[in-house]
Amino acid sequence: MRKEFRKALGEDLANYLELLRAKLAFAEELYGVKMNYVPLITEEPVVILDKNDGKIKWLKDKRELTEREFVELAEKIRRNLESGFVEMLLAMNMGCINGPGE
């Protein structure tokens, strides 16, 4: 994650985004279903974390947010991360996948 993004979110939440990428990779390995993105903001326009490169992007065109766009959205991303909303979305997707032995 870029330095300016880490600064806007804070070290703890920036590190948490790295952990989310690892969770996506683990779920992919465990369930065999590819999950490339996790939504950070679900209102239009949707903002995602790309598991493959760790960048925060617009879902509509997969373009990375500029520093200015990120600063404008950082508080909303922070709220969604701190409230557990993003984690809940990830967990909800896991429930749709049949696990081992099912």
Side-chain angles (χ1 to χ4, degrees):
M1 180 172 292
R2 296 186 349 206
K3 274 192 308 189
E4 53 274 359
F5 286 14
R6 290 185 89 74
K7 184 179 176 186
L9 268 184
E11 274 306 304
D12 289 345
L13 291 177
N15 290 338
Y16 183 73
L17 288 178
E18 292 299 318
L19 177 63
L20 273 178
R21 286 180 66 201
K23 285 182 179 185
L24 283 171
F26 175 75
E28 187 175 298
E29 189 72 27
L30 182 65
Y31 296 112
V33 174
K34 200 142 181 77
M35 292 179 59
N36 291 320
Y37 312 112
V38 71
L40 301 176
I41 298 176
T42 56
E43 299 91 41
E44 287 296 325
V46 176
V47 176
I48 58 168
L49 172 66
D50 188 327
K51 176 190 67 102
N52 299 314
D53 59 15
K55 295 181 179 176
I56 298 174
K57 301 177 178 182
W58 298 107
L59 179 60
K60 62 184 172 196
D61 59 6
K62 309 300 186 288
R63 180 182 58 80
E64 185 178 4
L65 273 66
T66 64
E67 184 178 350
R68 182 175 176 207
E69 291 169 333
F70 184 81
V71 168
E72 290 173 5
L73 295 170
E75 188 55 38
K76 190 178 281 192
I77 292 171
R78 176 186 303 282
R79 273 195 315 267
N80 286 346
L81 289 171
E82 288 177 341
S83 70
F85 179 72
V86 173
E87 190 76 32
M88 179 198 65
L89 292 174
L90 183 58
M92 285 174 55
N93 283 330
M94 292 298 103
C96 299
I97 303 169
N98 290 329
E102 290 185 22

